[in-house]
Amino acid sequence: MVIFLTAGDSKNSDSVDLHFECIMCGRCCKVENLVITVTGTDIVRIARVLDFGPDEILKALDFYLLKGDRATPEGMRDFPLVTTEKGPAYMALKKMEDGSCIFLKDNKCMIHPVRPAVCASFPFSFQRKSGELVWGLNAMKDICPGIGLGNAVKKSYLEAVGTEVLENLSIYTDFVKDWNSINKRHTVRLFIKSILESPVFYA
Ligand code: SF4
Ligand code: SF4
């Protein structure tokens, strides 16, 4: 569920009407139906730190096919569909059989400094509506026990994180549009190789 609220909820305060503190419980890394979408920027950061090439990166990814008249999963409507050899798909981190992320070991994120933006900004999600940054929640307290704890969330934090998330998504969306329109074989391996070779993700 995504609830969108505007950053101007509490007009006279530098914070919004929500308290949050990540208690590093790792729950968001194990929710079966939570898809951990990744952008080109995420892929490049992970590949650099782990010294991964296209084949190693591919082993850490899943491509979620959108077939027939299946509706776009909630929370992924703004995420671009990549043309692959099996059809249009969303790129995301691989999940293990129990629903946990491939990078979760002993309840810790193995790539914490370069974890995808969707993880670093959890449980918040962002959109731009009529030029204004709006934020919402990707999960409620039953999934994220950090909601309601700690200090009220600063508007400056939401602004900074939301701006970065949406900029990276915009660069990735343009890249995917170009990829989908080129007249050559669309394989996921070639897609990852193109991401790793593209200067747009190294800014
Ligand atoms: S579920 Fe919430 S509190 Fe727990 S690790 Fe994820 S963001 Fe932090
Ligand atoms: S990349 Fe790290 S923070 Fe993100 S879901 Fe996987 S283990 Fe959790």
Side-chain angles (χ1 to χ4, degrees), residues 20-28 122-123 143-146:
F20 171 70
E21 181 184 345
C22 178
I23 56 168
M24 309 285 274
C25 65
R27 262 202 228 177
C28 52
F122 195 82
I143 291 178
C144 176

Side-chain angles (χ1 to χ4, degrees), residues 136-202:
L137 290 174
N138 266 328
M140 301 308 280
K141 208 169 164 53
D142 56 329
I143 291 178
C144 176
I147 295 172
L149 301 182
N151 296 322
V153 181
K154 296 264 188 228
K155 289 177 183 171
S156 55
Y157 168 80
L158 292 171
E159 182 75 32
V161 174
T163 300
E164 189 183 344
V165 164
L166 293 181
E167 266 174 21
N168 288 343
L169 182 60
S170 165
I171 293 168
Y172 178 61
T173 301
D174 288 346
F175 181 85
V176 171
K177 265 190 211 150
D178 286 348
W179 163 264
N180 290 347
S181 66
I182 56 168
N183 190 17
K184 70 174 180 188
R185 223 156 45 92
H186 290 98
T187 68
V188 290
R189 189 182 184 285
L190 264 181
F191 181 65
I192 299 302
K193 193 166 173 291
S194 307
I195 285 178
L196 295 179
E197 288 171 355
S198 172
V200 299
F201 298 120
Y202 288 83

Side-chain angles (χ1 to χ4, degrees), residues 33-45:
N33 58 2
L34 212 64
V35 179
I36 311 154
T37 48
V38 278
T39 64
T41 305
D42 295 324
I43 294 285
V44 162
R45 284 180 183 157

